[in-house]
Amino acid sequence: GTVQKARAKLNTSFLTIVFARRFAPYKRPTLMLNDRERFASLLKDKQRPIQLIVAGKAHPADTAGKAMIKEIIDFTREFEVDDRVLFVEDYNRDIAELLVQGADVWLNNPIKPNEASGTSGMKAGMNGVLNISVLDGWWPECFNGANGWAITAGDLYSNPQMRDRTESAQIYDLLEGEITDFYYARNDSEVPHQWVAAMKESIYTVATGFNIYRTMNEYNDFFYQPALQTNKSLLDNDGRLLRELTARATRLAAGWPSITIEKVETELDSVGRILSGDRLKYSCAVSFKGFDPSDIAVEIVARDRAGINAIELSRSDSGGSPSLFSGEVNFPVSGPVEIDMRIVPGDRLLRRLYPHLVLWA
């Protein structure tokens, strides 16, 4: 019934956008309705029409999710776009298989940083669908500017209404000024060569980057083999390194409660906004008892929309307690940033073996 209904309503020559996933508020299935008049006009454009397929389920106890489904259906009736918007009920694996084969664009606009992965977008991308998504989950790693589009306009705002307004406007702008032009640009044989090239780029980048072979290779290269090498080095020479590290860890653990961060100087609050290319200086004084300054390391931990980075500060005095640490952090992207400072063991192997030895500022 669902397939027959879709065949009756949908036009295979129209640009087809799919939003298919569980209806949870953080996934924002109604973000495209932020400016209903503008979105309806995009759908009904005579030269470059758009059709939207929405598929998903709300948990029976999720009243907000069910309300969003009703909001989409009400929109189609109010703006008379029921020939452009199709809501597919009972979303499941079989329907998903059909959608990733038939979609042109896969829309994903959750609230960052709540996207765990986004595997539906991977499946779509492997089928030649172009993703338009916030840079969350898997997309920051895969997006290269030639295999889809990134929704970034809301990254500068912490206010939810401003974030939603700017991100929905960016989606409309992309549809109006780039995506539809791209899709409807055809040669004499009615082939959209640019779009097909982007489809091939999507298939190549997603299929080569997101598969079980890469998963197993990275587990092996980054975890299993290093763990085996570490184990061997610890046990060589009758466990000499293991005994040394155990003794150092015991000494550090005994003195760890005495560590205090006396003073932190920085040019930015713990939560602030930075611009691409900003270089911010940090310094702090650390007091401790019972061990050498080289036994500890001071790190700045910065989280921005590009990811999480830990930058180690340099000791800027000759030793003693308190000891001074300072350094500079570079930010490659603009947007909100969360910054904290922590103290960890100076020996990197000790950090891995004794993760509880950490002090956050």
Side-chain angles (χ1 to χ4, degrees):
T2 300
V3 174
Q4 284 72 26
K5 179 183 177 183
R7 282 177 178 158
K9 289 187 66 171
L10 299 177
N11 189 317
T12 57
S13 65
F14 289 178
L15 173 66
T16 303
I17 301 172
V18 171
F19 183 98
R21 51 190 43 83
R22 181 171 56 86
F23 265 56
Y26 84 88
K27 292 179 182 289
R28 297 188 295 180
T30 56
L31 181 66
M32 73 281 281
L33 305 184
N34 202 60
D35 185 338
R36 297 184 176 200
E37 290 81 4
R38 186 176 180 189
F39 186 53
S41 68
L42 285 169
L43 293 169
K44 294 189 284 188
D45 188 291
K46 287 184 169 54
Q47 277 70 46
R48 301 176 302 176
I50 298 172
Q51 57 194 5
L52 172 69
I53 302 175
V54 181
K57 289 180 179 178
H59 189 279
D62 184 1
T63 55
K66 290 186 284 188
M68 288 187 289
I69 294 175
K70 182 178 183 300
E71 187 178 346
I72 292 171
I73 294 172
D74 289 346
F75 161 75
T76 65
R77 293 170 178 165
E78 180 184 351
F79 287 87
E80 298 179 343
V81 288
D82 56 346
D83 61 337
R84 293 287 191 273
V85 179
L86 175 67
F87 181 79
V88 180
E89 300 174 346
D90 298 324
Y91 180 49
N92 57 32
R93 288 176 60 184
D94 293 333
I95 292 175
E97 183 177 349
L98 295 171
L99 290 175
V100 297
Q101 294 177 50
D104 297 310
V105 174
W106 200 262
L107 177 62
N108 183 41
N109 46 235
I111 299 171
K112 291 172 62 179
N114 294 312
E115 184 70 276
S117 179
T119 51
S120 68
M122 298 179 198
K123 290 182 287 189
M126 290 182 186
N127 280 269
V129 182
L130 304 188
N131 277 271
I132 174 171
S133 173
V134 299
L135 288 173
D136 199 14
W138 74 291
W139 193 230
E141 185 180 352
C142 185
F143 171 65
N144 65 5
N147 57 0
W149 294 269
I151 303 167
T152 59
D155 290 347
L156 291 171
Y157 300 98
S158 56
N159 178 277
Q161 288 76 29
M162 286 297 296
R163 179 199 60 219
D164 290 355
R165 186 185 306 170
T166 55
E167 289 187 344
S168 61
Q170 185 180 18
I171 294 172
Y172 303 144
D173 289 343
L174 284 169
L175 289 171
E176 191 173 49
E178 187 170 332
I179 296 175
T180 50
D181 281 349
F182 203 29
Y183 180 80
Y184 286 107
R186 311 294 171 96
N187 65 5
D188 293 339
S189 302
E190 286 298 304
V191 176
H193 277 298
Q194 288 180 303
W195 191 273
V196 172
M199 290 174 65
K200 292 179 179 179
E201 180 72 9
S202 174
I203 294 169
Y204 176 77
T205 53
V206 181
T208 58
F210 299 87
N211 56 69
I212 195 62
Y213 301 105
R214 175 190 166 190
T215 302
M216 294 308 300
N217 284 334
E218 290 193 357
Y219 269 116
N220 181 68
D221 295 344
F222 298 143
F223 297 101
Y224 299 148
Q225 289 299 328
L228 285 171
Q229 292 300 322
T230 299
N231 185 68
K232 182 178 183 302
S233 63
L234 288 172
L235 298 180
D236 277 350
N237 300 315
D238 197 28
R240 175 183 168 186
L241 179 57
L242 178 60
R243 289 196 298 272
E244 290 178 358
L245 286 175
T246 303
R248 291 176 63 188
T250 301
R251 181 169 54 85
L252 277 176
W256 205 258
S258 72
I259 300 176
T260 56
I261 298 175
E262 302 289 347
K263 182 175 64 173
V264 177
E265 292 185 357
T266 179
E267 300 167 347
L268 191 70
D269 294 333
S270 60
V271 177
R273 285 170 178 76
I274 51 92
L275 297 176
S276 176
D278 277 354
R279 302 162 65 89
L280 303 180
K281 295 179 179 178
Y282 292 85
S283 65
C284 72
V286 181
S287 295
F288 44 82
K289 296 177 182 178
F291 44 85
D292 188 85
S294 62
D295 285 332
I296 63 171
V298 179
E299 292 182 331
I300 295 293
V301 180
R303 186 178 80 176
D304 57 26
R305 65 183 179 89
I308 299 176
N309 286 304
I311 301 96
E312 189 170 327
L313 303 184
S314 301
R315 197 165 80 248
S316 53
D317 61 5
S318 57
S321 177
S323 192
L324 300 177
F325 294 81
S326 62
E328 196 171 63
V329 182
N330 300 327
F331 295 94
V333 296
S334 300
V337 60
E338 296 180 16
I339 296 174
D340 211 334
M341 183 176 289
R342 70 183 178 191
I343 296 176
V344 292
D347 186 292
R348 292 185 179 274
L349 188 53
L350 275 178
R351 297 181 205 177
R352 289 167 51 194
L353 298 176
Y354 297 90
H356 63 284
L357 292 178
V358 60
L359 174 66
W360 290 92

